[in-house]
Every structure is written in structure tokens, then in C-alpha cells.
Amino acid sequence: MVRIGIGFLGCGNIGCGVYRLLTTYGDQIEKNEGVSFEIRRILVRSPGKKRSWDIPAQLLTDQVQDVLCDPQIDVVMEFMGGEEPASSYMTAALKNGKTVVTANKMALASHWQQIVAAAREYGAGLYYEASVCGAIPIIRAMNDSLQANRITSVMGIINGTTNYILSRMSREGAAYADVLADAQRLGLAEPDPTADVEGYDAAYKLSILSTLAFHRHVPVECVYREGITGVTPLDVQCGKEFGLTLKLLAVAKEEDGRIQARVHPTFVPDSHPLAGVNDAFNAVYVNGHACGEMMFYGRGAGDMPTASALVSDLIKAARTKRHLLPAVSDEPCEMADDWSCVHFVRLLAKDEPGVLSLVSGKLAAHGVSIASMVQKGEPDENGYVQMIFLTHRASERAVRSALAELDGEKVSTCSVIRVEGK
Ligand code: HSE
């Protein structure tokens, strides 16, 4: 029997979930896996505060050294969230030879090199399955089950809050602000929703995923990011008429030796597996040269789904003799500054002879070919109509340049939304 002493850094929702899972299912884990866990200390800001699970007062401390320096603590589980002091505490724990298990994508993505270097130098374990997509075993898959593959692309719905909002907008034709307010009322979105709706949360996760997929460090600052605050019901509806579903997609691809990592509203064909991932669910769609396409689907947030990944990491760490660290090269990665995909474009155009040829001519001059086009509804009181088209696969830079040159009295660009999986 392997006996492991654990220290917690933080004990909010996720920490309480781990405490609950270990205290209610620990005996069975011991039987199944031959490892037993003893929670020795829990760092909290206010030891006297009421918690969702009854935790013995003698475990609680407000002194970080009680966790980082206790020789009987083998594994430090970090649930503080945020960049600091979490990343400094994790680095210190690793330097003390302790294994770190964390769900903190922000600290990990922002301080990847420092944290991984400390683990490597001190031979300590670093486990972070819960940092990307909660319960979904995508980190294990990348580091382990898919090792025999050259991964060519990863596309994911990796933020549940935005997927919930977009799913409802799509189902109900509702406006972004109304669904967000509802999600906040239901506790599904934070009072300050910025990290989710502006794509920061997904960008941290994509930095970690793409680093593992392509074996080169993809810093979070190199992830292109656009949130969902500008998404309109009209775009969602027009997309539907083209057989497309709108998602906040995290996309990472390696093409011609360059990596693209981007988070933005994206249409996918209704027939694509990602189109059926709704509400707060997450999914990651991976393409490997040997395995082909596969999709991982499940719950990306919540105390117990996240605890599932954290405790599984704990068991894996406890049963591992020599911890393996991610196989990431020190070579800097070359990021793409342009990419090509199908584009959905919505314009407001004067309904008069020659405007269509003006639009198609300008796009053609930039090498962009139109795949299909519709003019929607009757002209407004000034004689303008909605003109919506899909391009063939084209360079984004070329599409943007053509539209910038078109913008004027007769034509103005309302939206450009990338389409993937077509
Ligand atoms: N806020 C995240 C989401 C969960 O909505 O998916 C934690 O990363």
C-alpha cells in the first residue's frame, strides 16, 4: 500500500469537491488502486469561514509554509486560482521536491516555463489534467495515448459559459446580453464574465493544449483571441440558413512548420460533431496523422467533474515511480500571422445595379473566390440590403484587405466570421 500525504493550497468550490471525493470515495480508491491519501494541511485565507463541506478545523491554516515545508506532505494540490501567488507557491513546492497537482490554467499557461523547469530540475511531478476541460482526459490523451501521432489540428469548445450562451442564442434567437444576464442569475456565468466571454479562459487552455500537441511552447500571448460579446442574433440566424452553427472555438493547427493558435467565434457545419456540443459541455476534436479524427466530450467545469480529474491525477502521481514531464522542445515556435479558412461575411449593400460585381470584383482582385451568396429581405428606407456570402477557403489577410477597400458609401462590412470544419 502506498500512503500519500496531501496539502491543499486553497479550499473554495474545487478544493471542497476534492475533499468530498476523497472522504466519500477514498476507501474504494484504496481498494481499487492500492493507494491511500491523508489530507494533512489546508491553506485558506480565513480558517473560521463556513464551507460547503465540513472540514476539521485542525487541518486549516493560513500559513503557506505549513503546506510547502511539511516533510510528510508528498503532494501539493493547488486550488487558489489566479496567477499569483499560485504560480510562486507551485514553483516553491516543486523546488521542495513535492508533486504538484493543479487545475489552474492561468498560472500554468502564464508561467509554463518557470513551473516546468522547476519540476524538471527537482525531479518532481507536475499534473494538470483539470486545467483544461475539467473532467475530460485530454491532457492524458495528449501526453500519453496519442504519443504516436503527429497532431495536425486541435479544435475545441473549451469554455462552458460561452457555449451555454451561444447554444441558447442559437436555440431561442435571443440577444447576447439577455442570455448573459440570465446565465449570471442562474450562477452559470461569473458576476464579472470577462475571462469567459472575452476568450481569456479559452486562450490559457489553448496555450497548454497546443504546447502539448505540437511539442513546442506556445505562449499565451501568441494565442489570437476574440470573444463573443459582438455576436448578434442576426449572424447566428444567417449562419443557420447556410447550415452553420456558431461556437466559440479554440483552434490550433500546424501548417508549413508554423503554428496557429486562435480563439474566436467560429461557424462549424451543422453536420460536424462539434456542432452538437451544447450548453455548458466541452469537447475537443483532435486530428492525428495515424489516429485520424477523434472527439473527447464531457463536463469542463464544476466541483465534482474537476475533482474527478484532480483525484485521478493524484492517483496517477502516487503510482508513478519516475514522473514524466511534457515532451516540449526548447526551440521557439514560429507562429503564423495569417491563416486560411472559409469566411462568412455579412455586408450592408446598396441595392442597385453593379454593387454585386463591385463586391465580387474586389474580392477577386485579392484572390478570394465567393462560394455562395444571398441577399436578405427587402431594402431598408435608404435602399440598403443585407448581403451574406461564404468564401471558398481564402487567406484571412486577403479577405480583410478586400473588405477594407470595399467599405464606403455603397458597401459596409457588418461581420466577418471564420468557418472551420468545412
Ligand atoms: N469558466 C470556465 C468555463 C470553467 O466556463 O468553462 C473553468 O475554466
Side-chain angles (χ1 to χ4, degrees):
M1 174 69 63
V2 182
R3 293 183 200 285
I4 299 290
I6 308 171
F8 285 9
L9 296 176
C11 200
N13 209 22
I14 304 299
C16 283
V18 170
Y19 186 87
R20 195 160 124 210
L21 188 53
L22 284 174
T23 48
T24 57
Y25 196 63
D27 290 349
Q28 194 61 43
I29 291 174
E30 191 172 324
K31 270 201 204 117
N32 295 346
E33 311 292 340
V35 287
S36 76
F37 299 105
E38 185 197 356
I39 301 168
R40 294 189 56 84
R41 287 325 280 276
I42 299 179
L43 175 73
V44 290
R45 240 196 308 254
S46 321
K49 186 179 136 183
K50 178 119 192 66
R51 281 158 221 287
S52 68
W53 197 250
D54 206 9
I55 296 176
Q58 72 273 16
L59 292 184
L60 302 177
T61 175
D62 55 8
Q63 299 298 309
V64 69
Q65 300 310 335
D66 290 347
V67 175
L68 298 183
C69 299
D70 180 341
Q72 288 180 288
I73 288 180
D74 309 290
V75 179
V76 170
M77 302 190 83
E78 185 273 321
F79 316 121
M80 306 178 79
E83 206 175 320
E84 287 296 356
S87 58
S88 300
Y89 288 175
M90 284 194 273
T91 306
L94 293 164
K95 288 184 174 178
N96 284 350
K98 300 190 188 304
T99 286
V100 166
V101 174
T102 182
N104 189 334
K105 69 234 117 195
M106 185 193 212
L108 198 54
S110 309
H111 298 271
W112 174 267
Q113 281 170 315
Q114 165 197 319
I115 293 172
V116 172
R120 184 163 288 128
E121 190 179 346
Y122 291 84
L126 176 62
Y127 295 81
Y128 45 95
E129 183 63 76
S131 67
V132 179
C133 298
I136 302 177
I138 187 65
I139 300 293
R140 195 78 59 86
M142 289 288 184
N143 277 335
D144 203 337
S145 321
L146 297 176
Q147 276 166 321
N149 285 271
R150 174 166 31 80
I151 303 292
T152 50
S153 69
V154 178
M155 295 203 296
I157 294 168
I158 60 179
N159 181 269
T161 305
T162 47
N163 201 41
Y164 173 83
I165 294 172
L166 293 177
S167 299
R168 281 197 50 194
M169 285 179 74
S170 177
R171 253 193 323 258
E172 300 163 21
Y176 164 77
D178 294 341
V179 182
L180 171 64
D182 219 22
Q184 286 173 314
R185 250 194 320 275
L186 295 168
L188 293 167
E190 301 281 345
D192 176 359
T194 312
D196 292 317
V197 300
E198 294 291 3
Y200 290 101
D201 175 78
Y204 291 124
K205 294 170 181 167
L206 188 62
S207 159
I208 298 170
L209 272 186
S210 47
T211 294
L212 300 180
F214 305 125
H215 305 286
R216 267 162 302 157
H217 179 222
V218 177
V220 67
E221 309 77 60
C222 294
V223 176
Y224 173 85
R225 182 190 50 77
E226 239 177 68
I228 63 163
T229 53
V231 168
T232 65
L234 184 58
D235 286 321
V236 175
Q237 178 55 34
C238 292
K240 272 189 181 175
E241 290 166 23
F242 279 94
L244 301 169
T245 303
L246 192 67
K247 297 290 177 191
L248 181 71
L249 221 60
V251 180
K253 295 185 185 179
E254 183 162 25
E255 281 177 3
D256 307 322
R258 290 180 172 208
I259 293 171
Q260 31 178 297
R262 42 194 170 95
V263 170
H264 47 65
T266 310
F267 278 121
V268 290
D270 293 342
S271 56
H272 194 283
L274 286 168
V277 176
N278 284 314
D279 300 317
F281 277 91
N282 282 195
V284 184
Y285 189 83
V286 181
N287 213 318
H289 84 291
C291 65
E293 294 156 38
M294 61 172 73
M295 189 163 95
F296 299 80
Y297 171 87
R299 291 181 201 281
D303 56 355
M304 293 312 275
T306 308
S308 158
L310 287 159
V311 173
S312 301
D313 267 357
L314 191 57
I315 297 165
K316 169 107 174 148
R319 299 181 60 178
T320 299
K321 296 249 171 342
R322 190 172 149 262
H323 301 292
L324 291 180
L325 290 171
V328 176
S329 132
D330 290 333
E331 281 172 40
C333 71
E334 201 178 332
M335 300 298 296
D337 56 2
D338 187 25
W339 39 78
S340 105
C341 62
V342 170
H343 292 77
F344 163 103
V345 181
R346 181 165 62 85
L347 305 174
L348 201 58
K350 191 98 183 168
D351 193 15
E352 65 179 32
V355 170
L356 204 54
S357 87
L358 185 72
V359 172
S360 62
K362 188 60 81 182
L363 287 158
H366 286 266
V368 179
S369 168
I370 294 176
S372 53
M373 179 180 267
V374 294
Q375 182 174 310
K376 221 175 148 47
E378 293 303 312
D380 65 15
E381 64 280 13
N382 299 315
Y384 286 85
V385 285
Q386 299 282 335
M387 189 185 278
I388 298 126
F389 61 89
L390 292 183
T391 68
H392 282 292
R393 214 172 136 83
S395 134
E396 173 151 348
R397 188 174 293 151
V399 172
R400 301 267 177 193
S401 305
L403 294 174
E405 286 175 26
L406 265 175
D407 273 334
E409 190 202 327
K410 299 205 172 188
V411 177
S412 59
T413 306
C414 303
S415 341
V416 180
I417 300 179
R418 300 154 191 99
V419 182
E420 293 287 346
K422 220 174 151 57

